[in-house]
Amino acid sequence: MTVARYFSFKPGLSLKGRKFKGLRGFAGKPFHPPLTDVTVGAYVIGPVFDVIAFLGKDSSWSGDLFKAGGWVILAGAISSLATILTGFMDWLRSTPKGTQARRMVNAHAWTMVLTSVFVLVNLWYRFLAEGGEYYESPDLVALLLSVIVAGLVTLGGTLGGGIVYDWGFNVEVAKDHPVWHPSETNDYVHPHDEPAPRVEP
């Protein structure tokens, strides 16, 4: 019995035979989902640092943790440039108008746009406002902005995850065959709520 019988990961890493779709990635290996992990992770970890720093603002380490939170959010903002670009290409090329998938992608996209706006305001306040006065130590305004960012990115990530895991959008199986198919009849119905087809005796 070989080790490969228990540990086989080559198919998950191989790009052989996968159609390249430009900024959208490869068939079955899209670029957008893994990039979102970096951005969403930063937009959650940074605010967590801010909350801890604010709660312990009388401690010697709170200022360093608060500054770290700002840099983590900045890293997320930088990574979001690629995340937004690849997500836009998915929206442009993969979502036919008038489908529930398109509406869900729109909701996801606008939520993330709003998230980006609050991120930019957060970064401006922390690094530039009043000559960087609010960079050194925990601040209530920065904390509130960070909490809003964390809440919005959680909502946006939930919507994005639903598009993939509930609807199978952009999920592809063997031979470049998409799981999700546009539908004008039952596309408004959540797949978990759709009644099972009747089987004739």
Side-chain angles (χ1 to χ4, degrees):
M1 191 172 294
T2 64
V3 175
R5 184 177 179 86
Y6 297 100
F7 302 98
S8 179
F9 52 83
K10 183 179 178 181
L13 299 177
S14 176
L15 298 178
K16 183 179 180 181
R18 297 181 186 273
K19 181 181 179 181
F20 181 61
K21 301 181 178 182
L23 289 173
R24 294 169 57 204
F26 293 87
K29 295 291 180 186
F31 289 155
H32 183 67
L35 287 170
T36 63
D37 293 343
V38 180
T39 305
V40 172
Y43 289 170
V44 172
I45 294 172
V48 168
F49 283 2
D50 287 349
V51 170
I52 296 173
F54 188 82
L55 293 176
K57 59 184 177 181
D58 295 328
S59 303
S60 59
W61 45 261
S62 64
D64 290 336
L65 190 60
F66 180 74
K67 286 186 282 186
W71 286 106
V72 169
I73 293 173
L74 177 59
I78 294 172
S79 72
S80 74
L81 299 177
T83 307
I84 291 169
L85 180 60
T86 53
F88 173 75
M89 293 306 297
D90 277 344
W91 173 85
L92 185 65
R93 300 292 179 85
S94 303
T95 55
K97 294 180 180 179
T99 63
Q100 180 61 23
R102 180 66 168 250
R103 289 185 287 274
M104 290 185 69
V105 171
N106 286 343
H108 165 69
W110 281 110
T111 303
M112 299 312 295
V113 167
L114 187 59
T115 302
S116 298
V117 170
F118 275 96
V119 166
L120 292 176
V121 173
N122 188 320
L123 293 174
W124 170 82
Y125 183 82
R126 302 171 81 119
F127 291 98
L128 301 176
E130 303 295 336
E133 178 181 345
Y134 307 109
Y135 171 71
E136 294 290 338
S137 58
D139 178 83
L140 180 59
V141 174
L143 174 65
L144 292 176
L145 289 170
S146 292
V147 170
I148 292 172
V149 166
L152 285 173
V153 81
T154 299
L155 174 60
T158 300
L159 292 172
I163 297 168
V164 175
Y165 292 106
D166 286 341
W167 297 90
F169 175 71
N170 259 4
V171 175
E172 300 182 11
V173 293
K175 298 183 180 179
D176 199 18
H177 181 72
V179 174
W180 175 74
H181 298 278
S183 170
E184 296 179 358
T185 56
N186 62 6
D187 202 34
Y188 291 86
V189 182
H190 190 283
H192 294 170
D193 297 333
E194 190 172 0
R198 296 183 61 183
V199 178
E200 297 296 334

